[in-house]
Amino acid sequence: MPDQRVADGVLSRMVATGTEELIFASDPDSGLQAIVVIDDTTLGPALGGVRMHPYSSEHEAMTAGLRLSHAMTMKAAAAGLDLGGATALVLASPDKEKSEALLTATGRVLSGLSDRFIAVNDVGTTSEDMLVLQRAGARICTRDPSSFTAEGVVESMKAIWKSIEASTSLKGVRVAVQGIGNVGERLVGLLATEGAVVTAADVDRRRAETVATKYGVMAVDAEELLDLECDILSPCAMGSVVTFESIRRLRCRAIVGAANNIVESPGVEDLLAKSGIVYAPDFVTNAGGLIGLENELLGNDDDEARRRVHEISGRVRAVLEETEHGGGTTIDAARRIALDRLRMHRVRRHT
Ligand code: NAI
């Protein structure tokens, strides 16, 4: 029995969210069930994570796809990149169902979209999986962009710290890093070099301790991190870290991280703005990885990527200025900047 809630009102939902294309794909031989969302190609071909996850319903997957692909559009627009936003969701468990046949079928679907969809690995997929997609005709990026992401987060911290203490030096600044994965580990290393006082936490306590020992910083239990008194909290694990519940625990002066959608909802955005904690919007601070990927597509060297990643501090400053002049939260201001750029390109495209 098809899920009626998915089919009903899909087009009007696309109109409301401004989504360009929504593609439902299935392949009975491999068992593929996938939803591809191309949110916007105004600025260029859309870059999208290929996520493999056992969503509990098609409706849940579609909602996640619309949100993720739009976030990618906003990130590219805010970072000044000539890329759009997309995502491909494969409704399967990566541990139990991932197979060469499933990935090849996904690649075949994306091959038909290769003029406007560029695939990168995301939750549940690896860069090796992307090579299977490529063999089936998909256009892909393979590079792990985590080091560029971490560098962009450090640049953002410097801009935010300057707005708080009139200094771009992170020496002695107390930074609590949540999630010591690909980005978190590199971030801890960079912050240690800057002389920041770093505390690291990961649900995998051993991992946090190993990295802490390597860089001479402290490690605490993951549950303790949000209660820690610090200058900057840096969520580098999952989204929705700042919620109506968790906001009461926070004892930081600023939040600057790599995770996507750090603030749970617009209501929490308002509360956070009123709390006096300075929030650097994640889609601005974590754009370093996307800059690195665009650099790969353009065939530029790493120095060029690094130069552009360093421009993120200026973009964070622009967000703070726009917040002061245009009002609302820092997230509202960053959205205005991104949407303005999209609007200008659309006007140019139609004239
Ligand atoms: P990852 O999967 O390598 O690392 C995440 C780490 O967080 C893992 O070590 C995990 O054990 C830990 N973790 C999960 N829940 C936690 C919790 N509640 N408390 C403490 N630790 C927890 O991921 P990666 O690549 O480092 O990315 C981190 C975040 O940044 C993700 O949300 C990702 O979507 C986002 N991001 C990553 C980019 C990149 O270049 N890798 C680019 C832009 C965003």
Side-chain angles (χ1 to χ4, degrees), residues 26-232:
S26 86
D27 173 56
D29 292 341
S30 63
L32 175 76
Q33 290 183 37
I35 297 177
V36 183
V37 189
I38 299 181
D39 179 65
D40 195 293
T41 56
T42 305
L43 299 171
L47 200 102
V50 180
R51 187 170 283 208
M52 193 177 289
H53 183 74
Y55 289 95
S56 57
S57 71
E58 293 165 26
H59 185 261
E60 187 201 357
M62 193 176 78
T63 301
L66 292 170
R67 194 170 185 218
L68 284 166
S69 58
H70 184 65
M72 206 62 147
T73 302
M74 298 303 282
K75 193 185 299 194
L81 303 177
D82 293 330
L83 292 171
T87 194
L89 304 176
V90 179
L91 283 67
S93 159
D95 302 332
K96 297 187 201 133
E97 295 165 84
K98 197 196 285 183
S99 65
E100 177 107 7
L102 190 66
L103 291 167
T104 301
T106 307
R108 271 200 301 268
V109 172
L110 298 183
S111 73
L113 306 169
S114 59
D115 60 331
R116 55 199 190 284
F117 187 109
I118 305 164
V120 283
N121 58 300
D122 194 39
V123 176
T125 62
T126 64
S127 46
E128 287 75 37
D129 296 338
M130 294 305 104
L131 295 173
V132 182
L133 264 56
Q134 186 183 43
R135 285 199 288 279
R139 189 167 167 202
I140 62 158
C141 273
T142 49
R143 181 148 188 191
D144 176 1
S146 306
S147 60
F148 294 123
T149 304
E151 283 180 41
V153 173
V154 171
E155 288 306 309
S156 305
M157 285 181 182
K158 288 180 178 171
I160 290 293
W161 197 242
K162 181 139 196 259
S163 77
I164 296 176
E165 284 288 342
S167 164
T168 52
S169 168
L170 295 177
K171 195 167 181 357
V173 176
R174 297 163 304 164
V175 185
V177 183
Q178 181 192 50
I180 312 301
N182 291 320
V183 177
E185 172 167 3
R186 288 170 170 97
L187 182 62
V188 169
L190 293 171
L191 289 170
T193 311
E194 296 276 342
V197 180
V198 182
T199 305
D202 196 289
V203 280
D204 180 349
R205 168 88 202 211
R206 256 208 323 221
R207 177 156 178 76
E209 275 169 2
T210 307
V211 171
T213 307
K214 183 171 164 190
Y215 294 107
V217 304
M218 281 204 329
V220 296
D221 277 342
E223 304 84 63
E224 288 175 40
L225 198 82
L226 294 190
D227 303 303
L228 201 75
E229 190 177 338
C230 62
D231 295 310
I232 303 175

Side-chain angles (χ1 to χ4, degrees), residues 1-20:
M1 213 20 210
D3 186 340
Q4 286 297 324
R5 286 168 310 163
V6 175
D8 286 347
V10 166
L11 272 172
S12 46
R13 205 165 162 196
M14 287 174 72
V15 171
T17 52
T19 309
E20 284 182 15

